[in-house]
Amino acid sequence: MPQSQSPAADFPDSHFKIGWRIAGWSLLTVFFLLVFTVTKLPQERIRGLIVSQINQVLGPKGISIVPAKSGFSLGLSGVGYALEDTQVLLPGDLPPAHVDLVRLTPSLLPMMIGRFGGAILVREGEGLIDFSGFLKDPAFGGRFSLEDFNPG
């Protein structure tokens, strides 16, 4: 007695469906590879490196920063770095400024097409500075907003 087969068994999967399946598994693999790589990074050393690089850039102007807490974030919008409860040491006899939060978020998509872009958010109490922009030689574009900001 012959066995009956389902009609779906007679037709193999289409090339389109196979392509999407391979692409999906590949993207999932890359996503998990990135997540596990970021979670295993020596974050203390990287935090120290980033803060020292910022201080190296600000040093010639006599400015330095001392964050109480800093860390990475990885989300759907990309990679970000945040400095919390930061003292900004100013040159001369000026008193240090205090900033609750500084968040730096580079834009990954513009980097793929040769632009450097990102966003910077600075918050102190109720005040807020928000900047986002891009740079592609020689063009520059951005958005800047300032709301009740008083770091002193």
Side-chain angles (χ1 to χ4, degrees):
M1 181 162 165
Q3 293 182 351
S4 64
Q5 293 181 341
S6 68
D10 294 336
F11 300 106
D13 286 339
S14 69
H15 293 294
F16 181 75
K17 189 174 181 180
I18 292 171
W20 273 108
R21 186 178 302 145
I22 291 171
W25 281 110
S26 299
L27 287 174
L28 186 66
T29 301
V30 168
F31 172 76
F32 280 120
L33 181 65
L34 286 173
V35 167
F36 291 133
T37 301
V38 169
T39 58
K40 292 297 183 183
L41 288 174
Q43 291 197 11
E44 285 302 317
R45 291 179 61 191
I46 293 174
R47 288 178 191 144
L49 175 68
I50 291 173
V51 171
S52 69
Q53 291 294 318
I54 292 171
N55 282 329
Q56 200 171 41
V57 169
L58 297 174
K61 297 171 182 58
I63 302 171
S64 64
I65 63 168
V66 181
K69 184 179 174 185
S70 62
F72 287 107
S73 64
L74 179 65
L76 295 176
S77 62
V79 178
Y81 188 73
L83 304 164
E84 296 180 18
D85 195 22
T86 303
Q87 292 282 40
V88 181
L89 306 173
L90 301 170
D93 295 335
L94 296 172
H98 178 268
V99 178
D100 288 334
L101 175 69
V102 177
R103 182 177 299 139
L104 309 166
T105 311
S107 296
L108 301 178
L109 185 60
M111 280 186 195
M112 292 179 190
I113 60 172
R115 291 183 178 177
F116 294 103
I120 300 172
L121 176 91
V122 180
R123 185 178 57 205
E124 170 53 36
E126 297 297 318
L128 182 72
I129 296 176
D130 187 12
F131 173 78
S132 63
F134 73 90
L135 172 67
K136 183 175 182 178
D137 196 34
F140 171 78
R143 181 186 57 80
F144 181 80
S145 69
L146 180 65
E147 299 173 16
D148 301 325
F149 188 76
N150 183 10

